[in-house]
Amino acid sequence: MDFFSSQTESLSALFAPRSIAVVGASSNPQKIGGIPVDYQRRFGFDGALYPVNPNAERIQDLRAWPSLRAIGQPVDLAILSVPAALVDAALDDAIEAKVKGVVLFSSGFAETGAEGTAAQARLG
C-alpha cells in the first residue's frame, strides 16, 4: 500500500465510516451522548451503529454494548461523549478494540483551570 492509499484509508474512517460506536451513548436524544445516535439514525447512516453504555441494555431502540471491546466487530469511528475523568479509560478501550478513528466530545479540561490544562496536555 502506498502513502496516499494509506492516508485515504485513514481519513475514510473519520469522514466515511462504515461503523460508528458512540461511547457514553444516551437514550435522551437531546444529551451530548444521545445526539450522535439520534442524528445517525435520522439522517440515514447506513453502516453499523453501536451505542456503548455499561449501564444500559438498549439505547434509542438499539442494543447497547458495555464497552468497545465487547462489540467484537470492527469499528471505524468511535465518538467519545464522556466526562474528562473517563476519557483515558475510553481511549484505552478504543486502542484495545483497534478503533481506526476517534472524535472526542468532553469537558473538564483547559476550561477548568490548571489541572484540566495539564490533563488536556497529556492527551497530546
Side-chain angles (χ1 to χ4, degrees):
M1 182 181 298
D2 68 19
F3 173 78
F4 292 109
S5 296
S6 66
Q7 291 300 318
T8 300
E9 184 178 324
S10 295
L11 292 174
S12 293
L14 289 173
F15 296 113
R18 294 171 302 219
S19 57
I20 299 173
V22 180
V23 179
S26 172
S27 288
N28 183 339
Q30 296 177 354
K31 288 191 168 189
I32 193 68
I35 293 168
V37 176
D38 179 53
Y39 279 19
Q40 298 311 313
R41 296 182 76 210
R42 279 199 294 145
F43 298 113
F45 177 67
D46 63 356
L49 182 59
Y50 303 109
V52 176
N53 185 320
N55 302 312
E57 291 185 22
R58 299 195 72 74
I59 298 285
Q60 298 184 37
D61 296 323
L62 297 170
R63 177 182 176 186
W65 301 88
S67 67
L68 290 166
R69 286 175 285 171
I71 294 168
Q73 298 293 321
V75 174
D76 284 344
L77 177 65
I79 299 171
L80 308 183
S81 299
V82 296
L86 300 178
V87 167
D88 286 342
L91 287 171
D92 289 343
D93 190 31
I95 291 165
E96 288 290 322
K98 296 183 171 70
V99 173
K100 294 178 183 172
V102 171
V103 173
L104 176 61
F105 296 141
S106 189
S107 61
F109 288 99
E111 77 278 6
T112 64
E115 188 174 319
T117 299
Q120 182 172 317
R122 283 192 302 274
L123 288 176

